[in-house]
Amino acid sequence: MKLRKTLIGIVMGLTLGVTAIALPMPGEQNVAHAAWTQAKADKVINTGKRYLGTPYKFGAKSTTTAVFDCSSFTQRVFRVAVGKSLPRTSRDQAKKGVSVSKANLKKGDLVFFKASTTTKSKRITHVAIYAGNNKILHTYGQPGVTFTAFKGTSWEKRFVSARRVL
């Protein structure tokens, strides 16, 4: 009888342990890791490349591909590449997905920036897609949609946050 109770206790303990590992704790649903894969990230970057050179226009409509602003570009690329719906503005996009540190950026992460290197404000005014190899894919001014170096540039100095939405 004592052996039976001990075995039942062990089985119940293992069951609870496995359940605790497999299921998130209450209140932790929003910190689950996004389902990032290299294939999805490559698809996002390759889709973005199709629009290289497309002119920049602030406030561009999300229904056009003739011109983009930064957030209409990211919104279009993620929808076409992986069927991911993103909000229209960079500030609203910055609330989606999982927070990522600058040191842990992966290809396909959204990267958010403030207006200038000198402002103390952390107000987001620009979004880009981290393309890997120290590059971001985005649109602004001339030449429109382009790849730009990230680390060691004014873009890195303007960095506010990053989100993984894949």
Side-chain angles (χ1 to χ4, degrees):
M1 186 67 162
K2 197 172 190 180
L3 178 62
R4 183 172 177 214
K5 284 183 180 180
T6 302
L7 288 174
I8 290 172
I10 291 170
V11 169
M12 288 181 72
L14 287 172
T15 302
L16 288 173
V18 169
T19 303
I21 292 168
L23 297 175
M25 295 295 288
E28 290 187 9
Q29 289 82 3
N30 292 330
V31 296
H33 296 288
W36 182 91
T37 66
Q38 186 68 50
K40 284 182 188 178
D42 288 341
K43 201 166 185 184
V44 165
I45 300 306
N46 288 332
T47 299
K49 282 181 185 177
R50 289 191 226 158
Y51 302 109
L52 285 172
T54 301
Y56 172 84
K57 181 181 178 191
F58 180 76
K61 302 275 186 211
S62 59
T63 55
T64 183
T65 58
V67 292
F68 291 110
D69 70 8
C70 63
S71 56
S72 71
F73 173 67
T74 54
Q75 185 183 46
R76 168 68 59 150
V77 168
F78 276 82
R79 184 174 62 240
V80 170
V82 293
K84 177 75 177 175
S85 278
L86 292 175
R88 176 61 185 84
T89 68
S90 57
R91 277 179 220 115
D92 288 338
Q93 289 177 9
K95 299 172 188 169
K96 299 298 177 187
V98 177
S99 181
V100 178
S101 71
K102 187 169 41 172
N104 290 318
L105 286 172
K106 287 186 179 182
K107 189 187 283 190
D109 289 342
L110 291 174
V111 187
F112 300 93
F113 303 91
K114 61 185 181 174
S116 75
T117 59
T118 58
T119 183
K120 293 190 189 302
S121 171
K122 295 286 188 182
R123 184 172 186 243
I124 292 166
T125 61
H126 187 69
V127 60
I129 303 166
Y130 188 70
N133 299 321
N134 190 36
K135 298 282 185 197
I136 54 175
L137 176 59
H138 60 147
T139 186
Y140 69 98
Q142 289 293 335
V145 176
T146 189
F147 284 98
T148 306
F150 175 57
K151 292 181 182 165
T153 70
S154 66
W155 289 108
E156 183 180 26
K157 292 174 186 159
R158 293 172 53 193
F159 175 86
V160 174
S161 64
R163 306 292 288 187
R164 185 161 298 143
V165 296
L166 289 176

